[in-house]
Amino acid sequence: MANNPYDEMFKNIARLMERILSEMPLQDPKIIGFTIISGSPEGAYPDPSGDNEDEVSDVEVVEGDDCIYVTAVVDARAQGAPYVTFQRDSVTLCTGGDEETVIDLECEIDVPHSFYNVQHGVIDAVCRKKNALDEMVPS
């Protein structure tokens, strides 16, 4: 049988899913949705809270080739709608209530082409890198 080049990737996904499911509570867990971003974890930013790396963070930042992805858990008990404010080199997250988290980015982003959405208790922000858009536009 020929080797499929994606076999190793699927094995890694299966191991990851086993780990996630084994750490979930026993009350009939449901997976609502997820995103898989290929690439090495080197592009991940450090936890903005500065907490211990062994703890799970409520904010995750992953850098891709043309975008920076920011994902955070929304506080369902807080009053007020969650939102994201994009600046040229940072993102401000409000996951509910009055508390805001500012995440400094390592590159400049294109604010008008960046966006976010809130769904199922998770806020996802996609920050389009400024240089990535410049490369797409023909001269």
Side-chain angles (χ1 to χ4, degrees):
M1 182 173 191
N3 281 341
N4 184 337
Y6 299 106
D7 282 348
E8 189 63 30
M9 181 181 65
F10 289 128
K11 287 178 188 175
N12 289 338
I13 291 172
R15 277 188 231 121
L16 177 64
M17 292 305 297
E18 286 174 4
R19 183 174 156 217
I20 289 170
L21 292 173
S22 70
E23 294 176 2
M24 290 183 126
L26 297 175
Q27 306 116 341
D28 190 27
K30 293 181 180 18
I31 298 175
I32 305 222
F34 62 93
T35 301
I36 298 174
I37 301 171
S38 64
S40 63
E42 309 164 349
Y45 283 61
D47 176 17
S49 66
D51 292 343
N52 186 352
E53 289 183 19
D54 294 335
E55 294 180 12
V56 176
S57 172
D58 287 343
V59 178
E60 182 178 20
V61 181
V62 177
E63 183 171 353
D65 291 336
D66 58 348
C67 293
I68 298 172
Y69 304 93
V70 181
T71 304
V73 176
V74 174
D75 184 0
R77 294 168 287 155
Q79 292 191 8
Y83 63 88
V84 176
T85 305
F86 298 98
Q87 293 84 26
R88 191 173 45 113
D89 56 359
S90 66
V91 175
T92 303
L93 293 175
C94 179
T95 56
D98 296 331
E99 189 174 324
E100 292 184 339
T101 303
V102 177
I103 300 170
D104 293 323
L105 304 174
E106 294 181 5
C107 67
E108 194 172 327
I109 63 170
D110 185 29
V111 175
H113 291 97
S114 298
F115 60 93
Y116 74 95
N117 68 12
V118 180
Q119 195 170 0
H120 303 296
V122 175
I123 188 165
D124 286 311
V126 178
C127 309
R128 178 76 65 182
K129 291 182 180 180
K130 189 136 184 136
N131 295 343
L133 268 180
D134 294 342
E135 293 172 4
M136 289 183 192
V137 178
S139 302

